[in-house]
Every structure is written in C-alpha cells, then in structure tokens.
Amino acid sequence: MHITVIGSGYVGTTMAACFADLGHQVTAIDIDEAIVEAINDGTAPIDEPGLDDLLETHTQHSLEATTSYDPIPDSDVTFLAIGTPSNPDGSIDLSALEAAAEATGEALADKADRHLVVIKSTVTPMSIQDTLEPAIQRGANNDQVEVGMNPEFLREGSAVADFQNPDKLVFGTNSEWATDQLQAVFEPLLEEQSVPIVDTDPATASMIKYANNAFLASKISLVNDLGNICKEFGLDAYEVMDAIGLDDRISDQFLRSGVGWGGSCFPKDVAAIIAAATQHGYDPALLEAAVEINERQPERLLDLLESHVDLEGARIAVLGLAFKPQTDDIRNSRAIPILESPQKAGADIVAYDPVAIDPMRERFPDVEYAQSVEAALEGSDGALVVTGWDEFATLDEEFDAMATPVVVDGRRIVEPRDGIIYEGLTW
Ligand code: NAD
C-alpha cells in the first residue's frame, strides 16, 4: 500500500519507518524542514533505539519525507500523528491537529476513490465527531473521505520494538471497508504474529487510549503512595510490591515506586481526560489524586536530600534529565521540578544525562551541565538520581570524589556501598 503519515515526531517517524519495513510505500509529511531533511538523509530526528537503522535501510527506497501535502491523494491511507498538547487548564489543545486535518481534507477534495484518514494522535472521545471530522470535511467536502481512529500504544525508548510487537491493535471505524483498510495496513505484521484486534467505533477507540494511560499512571501513583507509607515505617516498598505482584489480579508490571511519571503522554493525557470528564459534569476523584501524588514525589526526594544537606550554597548533582531511560525526551520529566527547587533554596546545580542535556539546556540555560557522571559528582555535596540510566547502576568509586557523599535515589538504580550515605525514596 502507499501510506502517507502526517507529523514526523516520535510517533510519526517511528510509524513511517516501521510501515516501510513492513513493505509499504511511505511518504512522511511534516511542516518542519529540518525534520524532513533528516529523514531524507536517513537519520532519525529523535533519539530512539533501532530507528536510525530502519531509516538508513528504507529512505530513498520505500520511504521519503516532504513538507508538501500533494502526495496524499495518491496514497491509499493517511495517518495523522500530530501533537495534542494541553491547554493551560489541562484540556486537550487540538489546534495543530485540526489545522492538519483541514489541510488533509483540502488535499483530498478532488479524489474520486474512497480514502481513509486515520487519527493516530491521542484525542478525547468526542474530538473526532465534534472537531476533526468536520475539519476534514471543511477542506474536502467529499463523501469519499472517511475518518477512523487507531490509537498508538508505543513507549518512547522502545518505540520501534513496541510498534513491531504490539499487545493489541485498536481499529475505531464507522464501516467495514475502513476496518478492512486498517487490517490491510497491518497485514504483514499480523502474518508474523498473533495480535488481538479490537474492532470498535472511533469514540470508543479514543477512550481506550485514555483508559489505558489513566490506568497505568494511577497504578504508579498508587504504588508511590504505598511506597511513601513504607518509607515512613522504615520498610522496603520493593519487597512489599514484589509480594503483591505475585497476585495475578495485580500483576508484577508497573510496581516500581519512585520519583513519579512524566513524559509527553501520561501527564497530558490524564489532564485531558480529567478536563473532558469535568466539562461533562463528572468529578474524576481518583485521577485527581493520582496527579497530586505524582506532584509530591519530587518534593519528597528533595526533602530526603535536605534531611542530610543544607542546600544554601551546596553543590547538588542531578543525575538524569530525560523522563525515562533510552530517550532524550524531557517533556514533563520529573527532573524539571527537581532542577527548579534546589536552585530556589540557594543550591548550585550540576546536571548530567547521557543524551538529554541539549533539550534541558534550552529550558534551563543557567544550570551547569556536566559531560560525564564523574564530572557531575566531583566536589558535589549531594546527588539526586532522577532517571534510571543503566550507567548509574555501576557507579562506585566515582562517589569518592563527592565533597559530601549523600546519594538520594529516586529510581532504585544506584548500588548502596560503604562510604556513602544512601537514601532510597521509598525503600
Ligand atoms: P511530536 O510533537 O513529537 O510530533 C508531532 C509532529 O507534527 C512534529 O514533528 C510537528 O512538526 C508536526 N506537525 C505539526 N503540525 C503539522 C502540520 N500541520 N502538518 C504536518 N506536520 C505537522 O508528537 P508525538 O510525541 O509524536 O505525538 C503525536 C501524537 O501521538 C500525540 O497525540 C500523542 O499524544 C500521541 N502519542 C504519543 C506517544 C509518544 O510516546 N510520544 C505515544 C502514543 C501516542
């Protein structure tokens, strides 16, 4: 098939490369010329394991990128993978996606054959019906254009592997023809493995994505709440969670307590579904509490540091800036409140991350950034571990260079050793 993918960010570039790898002809479209150039050079515009290899293999063969919407009518299916950030009140900001939807419609105005436009972006349940379908039809005014929803569940850091080995595929469509089109897109993948397909309508497909993320975010917040209680009692939350994970109804996944959830999805998606529910007159009390607990975790990490170190004039190493390992994405990273607070208390920060320094420097230009974990620790009065990068697990003699060897670990990644004062956030 010929597939057009509009939006070449984390999701769009991964999809485009993986669809090409499945044997489709793919055109990736983005308004950002630098992104288009990077893809056409065979390099990933984002840091994602395996993506460079796929782009190198398929660019100039079955994958090309452009800033033009002209290839859309010649394709069989168009996916929209545009960002859906939060408005200041937490509600979903559909403006970029709506603009792309209208432009996609305009490109399809004269197409005589049926064409499926699939919303890949995460959108609240009524958004397709109320906003996106009307935007597409404002541009197209063509009853041959149909709209579907195929939410994405990949995780940054393992996006390629997740796309290639999904737990489920959700097809939200209004017709059998549209479901068949989506089935055909994923057919090469379905020939290789058995993947459950959820065949539903677009609004339910949208809600499945929010329920998925709200459940996972709430599970982590519950684990963090219980973890904080464990710490108050001097208990090891990981020992407790390992035991409850033996219960099939709970499962052993997502039971690691720590400094909280961040990234481009959980915070904005939980905020968006809270805002959408509230607008409909429902008070989502549990989701509100999940957010509040999440906000508290960085403060608890800093409180633990302050129980050992007077922050006034202290030099504090912050280890890890990305919202999780294997990505350079800092959106809503827990490192952000952690960089803000000690500075306010008069401390000097020296921050280190193996890949995410550049984006964080744009946001916090006044923070000192170290090029290695050793350089960050040297002469520091305390270290806060914020991202669970593997390289922090092997730290040992590097701690000897600290002025005061206080290590407060928010990810249970550092190995406690003689000669350091080690504090685990919930253990
Ligand atoms: P992103 O911000 O990384 O990428 C969006 C891209 O769209 C950017 O490259 C931007 O230049 C481009 N763009 C904006 N307006 C455009 C237009 N009019 N025409 C063409 N291109 C345009 O976003 P993302 O992280 O890839 O997320 C996309 C959607 O997928 C969001 O709704 C998000 O919630 C959802 N999602 C993201 C993830 C994730 O892990 N990042 C996972 C699942 C779902």
Side-chain angles (χ1 to χ4, degrees), residues 87-94 124-127 130-131 271-284 288:
N87 286 313
D89 66 355
S91 63
I92 190 167
D93 175 359
L94 286 169
T124 44
M126 292 303 122
S127 298
D130 293 348
T131 310
I273 201 65
I274 286 175
T278 308
Q279 272 167 17
H280 274 252
Y282 179 74
D283 173 23
E288 302 265 16

Side-chain angles (χ1 to χ4, degrees), residues 9-11 30 35 69 82 84 121-122 152 156 265 268 331:
Y10 283 85
V11 171
D30 203 284
I35 289 177
Y69 277 50
I82 307 285
T84 45
S121 306
T122 303
E152 182 51 59
E156 286 176 25
C265 290
K268 85 168 172 65
R331 288 179 285 184

Side-chain angles (χ1 to χ4, degrees), residues 7 31 41-42 52 65 105 147 204 207 209 230 261 267 270 273-274 280 294 323 333 354 357 360 403 418 420:
I31 44 171
D41 284 345
D52 271 325
V147 182
T204 306
M207 187 62 203
K209 173 66 189 173
C230 289
W261 35 272
V270 174
I273 201 65
I274 286 175
H280 274 252
N294 199 50
F323 87 91
S333 168
I357 286 178
M360 199 57 102
D418 286 345
I420 64 172

